[in-house]
Amino acid sequence: MLDYQIKNYVLFALSMFLGGLLGIVISMVVNLALIEISISPFFSMYFGVLFILVGCLILWRVLSHEAQDPMQMKKLHLSIFAGTIILSGALCFLLDRKMFVGLAPWMKVPLYMTLGLAVAFALTFSIVDVLNYILGFCQSSIAKPIVESSQQVYLVLVVSLAMGVMFGFTFGLLDVEDEQAHHIRVALMREEHYCYPMGIVLGALAGFGNEYFRQKDDYACYQGIAQTEFDEDI
């Protein structure tokens, strides 16, 4: 029993450490992506097409899925989220550094918050898919994915969106994109000084919550609480 508890504590600590590390990586990539979208026409077009395709794919899957009444609210939320991703793609084509230069930071903050949200979402779930694949490839037996249950998915979704919004807010507020070319690196380092701690905290919270739901599901299966579709027949 003691060994089992120690193992759980180690897993919680490891999950929080990896979550914080991923938070730093996401912070760095989101801010670099916002810089490239702002100053590079190629990257703005690339991310614009990518976000529009992802948003349309999510919207198509939501609208083509027939759900009962209790699922209507979930479909509404997913449709709004898909629309936000598509809007982010459209903003990539409109967000030209020359067009927005000189504007007050509070006028650009909502734009960068929306873009940060989309970048963080795409990056987070790509990392989760890669980690699930690596975990399944390295284990000989059937491996349980790192993120599997609906609670885990919603947790990762909420945290990734919070990261994107906070990073975009900081990026726009500090006016990083309006700096001269030789000052952008310094401005970016100044912004990361604020973003890294936020990424670490949010990533660690996501890691802790994900491991909590993971162990909760394992315990439910072990105790025989988890139900299957055959329970009613039995």
Side-chain angles (χ1 to χ4, degrees):
M1 184 65 179
L2 183 60
D3 292 340
Y4 179 76
Q5 291 181 345
I6 294 176
K7 179 183 177 182
N8 287 342
Y9 292 147
V10 171
L11 288 175
F12 273 116
L14 182 60
S15 298
M16 293 179 66
F17 173 77
L18 293 178
L21 189 62
L22 288 177
I24 294 177
V25 173
I26 293 172
S27 169
M28 179 176 62
V29 174
V30 168
N31 286 298
L32 289 176
L34 293 178
I35 282 287
E36 294 298 336
I37 291 173
S38 300
I39 66 177
S40 172
F42 171 78
F43 277 99
S44 63
M45 182 182 67
Y46 170 78
F47 280 104
V49 173
L50 177 64
F51 291 153
I52 290 176
L53 289 178
V54 171
C56 290
L57 178 61
I58 295 175
L59 188 61
W60 174 75
R61 293 188 62 179
V62 170
L63 296 179
S64 63
H65 178 70
E66 296 183 1
Q68 302 299 324
D69 290 340
M71 297 292 292
Q72 293 301 321
M73 187 59 67
K74 184 181 295 185
K75 290 183 64 175
L76 177 62
H77 293 162
L78 291 175
S79 298
I80 294 175
F81 178 70
T84 305
I85 300 297
I86 295 174
L87 176 62
S88 301
L91 289 176
C92 288
F93 294 104
L94 299 175
L95 197 63
D96 189 345
R97 185 184 183 185
K98 297 179 181 178
M99 293 174 57
F100 292 94
V101 65
L103 288 179
W106 65 269
M107 298 181 65
K108 293 180 287 186
V109 162
L111 303 177
Y112 286 109
M113 288 172 63
T114 306
L115 288 174
L117 178 152
V119 175
F121 166 79
L123 179 62
T124 300
F125 279 88
S126 297
I127 292 175
V128 169
D129 285 339
V130 171
L131 290 178
N132 283 337
Y133 175 80
I134 293 176
L135 183 64
F137 181 79
C138 294
Q139 296 188 9
S140 56
S141 59
I142 299 177
K144 183 178 180 180
I146 296 177
V147 177
E148 181 182 34
S149 67
S150 58
Q151 293 93 338
Q152 290 174 302
V153 173
Y154 280 123
L155 174 67
V156 174
L157 175 62
V158 170
V159 173
S160 65
L161 297 185
M163 283 185 178
V165 168
M166 295 178 70
F167 297 156
F169 176 82
T170 307
F171 185 92
L173 191 65
L174 295 180
D175 247 358
V176 177
E177 74 287 349
D178 281 347
E179 296 289 344
Q180 298 298 322
H182 54 282
H183 289 156
I184 285 182
R185 182 177 179 84
V186 176
L188 192 60
M189 291 176 62
R190 183 178 70 249
E191 189 215 358
E192 292 291 5
H193 177 74
Y194 299 101
C195 291
Y196 281 162
M198 291 188 290
I200 293 173
V201 172
L202 289 175
L205 289 176
F208 179 87
N210 184 72
E211 184 60 28
Y212 170 78
F213 288 123
R214 181 182 172 89
Q215 293 189 17
K216 182 180 178 181
D217 291 340
D218 291 342
Y219 182 77
C221 294
Y222 178 77
Q223 294 293 330
I225 298 177
Q227 297 181 352
T228 67
E229 58 182 344
F230 304 106
D231 286 350
E232 295 181 359
D233 297 335
I234 296 175

